[in-house]
């Protein structure tokens, strides 16, 4: 996206990059997204600003799950924000609601310490892996905002 190799993106490069990567959004919405990234308001997005914004979006999703606000997502936090009703194993009676919640948390939990509690660090680590598998960081943010309704 950095067409002029300045190690930052101006609005024109950002808009062109969105189009090049097939991200469909109107100019007003894209400009608002650009302004969110441009934390210092200098009209460009540098790498640090970009990473800070990515982290902020992931933490917004974490805070949405962490209903108690104690910095740890547990099964109790999930009640009311995640519904197990559509999980196939819940629908066929194989799993209880509790098992569906635990399976959901296990996705984010540390691989070597599946304790049913997910910290913000574990959540960030999970999404570091996810973002690495997505070609466009902008698309990653759009995916996060859509998936978590942020």
């Amino acid at each position: 996206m950095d067409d002029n190799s300045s190690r930052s993106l101006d609005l024109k490069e950002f808009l062109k990059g969105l189009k090049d990567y097939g991200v469909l959004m109107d100019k007003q919405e894209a400009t608002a997204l650009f302004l969110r990234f441009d934390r210092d308001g200098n009209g460009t997005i540098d790498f640090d600003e970009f990473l800070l914004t990515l982290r902020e979006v992931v933490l917004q999703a974490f805070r949405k799950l962490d209903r108690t606000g104690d910095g740890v997502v547990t099964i109790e936090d999930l009640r009311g924000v995640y519904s197990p009703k559509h999980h196939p194993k819940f629908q066929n009676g194989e799993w209880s609601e509790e098992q569906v919640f635990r399976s959901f948390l296990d996705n984010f939990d540390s691989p070597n310490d599946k304790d049913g509690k997910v910290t913000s660090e574990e959540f960030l680590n999970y999404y570091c892996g996810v973002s690495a598998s997505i070609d466009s960081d902008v698309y990653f943010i759009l995916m996060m905002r859509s998936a978590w309704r942020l």
Side-chain angles (χ1 to χ4, degrees):
M1 290 174 74
D2 184 15
D3 293 334
N4 65 6
S5 301
S6 65
R7 303 188 53 81
S8 64
L9 300 176
D10 61 23
L11 180 59
K12 183 178 175 183
E13 288 172 315
F14 185 76
L15 295 173
K16 181 181 178 294
L18 290 176
K19 184 178 176 188
D20 290 349
Y21 281 101
V23 178
L24 304 174
M25 62 173 39
D26 63 43
K27 186 175 182 178
Q28 183 178 1
E29 187 179 15
T31 301
L33 183 60
F34 177 86
L35 293 174
R36 182 168 181 187
F37 279 107
D38 183 16
R39 298 169 86 78
D40 63 9
N42 71 349
T44 63
I45 302 169
D46 65 33
F47 191 66
D48 289 336
E49 287 174 313
F50 194 77
L51 289 179
L52 284 171
T53 304
L54 283 176
R55 181 180 172 86
E56 179 185 291
V57 169
V58 171
L59 288 175
Q60 271 185 304
F62 179 82
R63 285 189 296 271
K64 187 170 185 175
L65 289 176
D66 182 18
R67 292 172 48 100
T68 59
D70 63 357
V72 179
V73 177
T74 63
I75 288 174
E76 288 308 312
D77 286 308
L78 293 181
R79 296 185 198 285
V81 293
Y82 176 73
S83 174
K85 292 178 187 174
H86 301 290
H87 193 286
K89 290 188 177 183
F90 180 78
Q91 288 179 335
N92 72 15
E94 189 177 335
W95 281 3
S96 68
E97 185 176 274
E98 188 106 351
Q99 287 171 305
V100 174
F101 285 142
R102 184 59 190 263
S103 174
F104 180 81
L105 288 175
D106 283 350
N107 289 311
F108 306 101
D109 214 346
S110 293
N112 302 324
D113 183 28
K114 299 235 183 252
D115 58 2
K117 298 175 184 176
V118 177
T119 65
S120 58
E121 182 181 343
E122 289 170 325
F123 199 76
L124 282 166
N125 287 340
Y126 172 83
Y127 276 108
C128 282
V130 171
S131 71
S133 70
I134 295 176
D135 291 337
S136 164
D137 291 326
V138 173
Y139 180 75
F140 172 77
I141 287 183
L142 294 173
M143 180 269 310
M144 287 292 297
R145 293 179 64 83
S146 175
W148 294 102
R149 295 185 182 131
L150 302 176

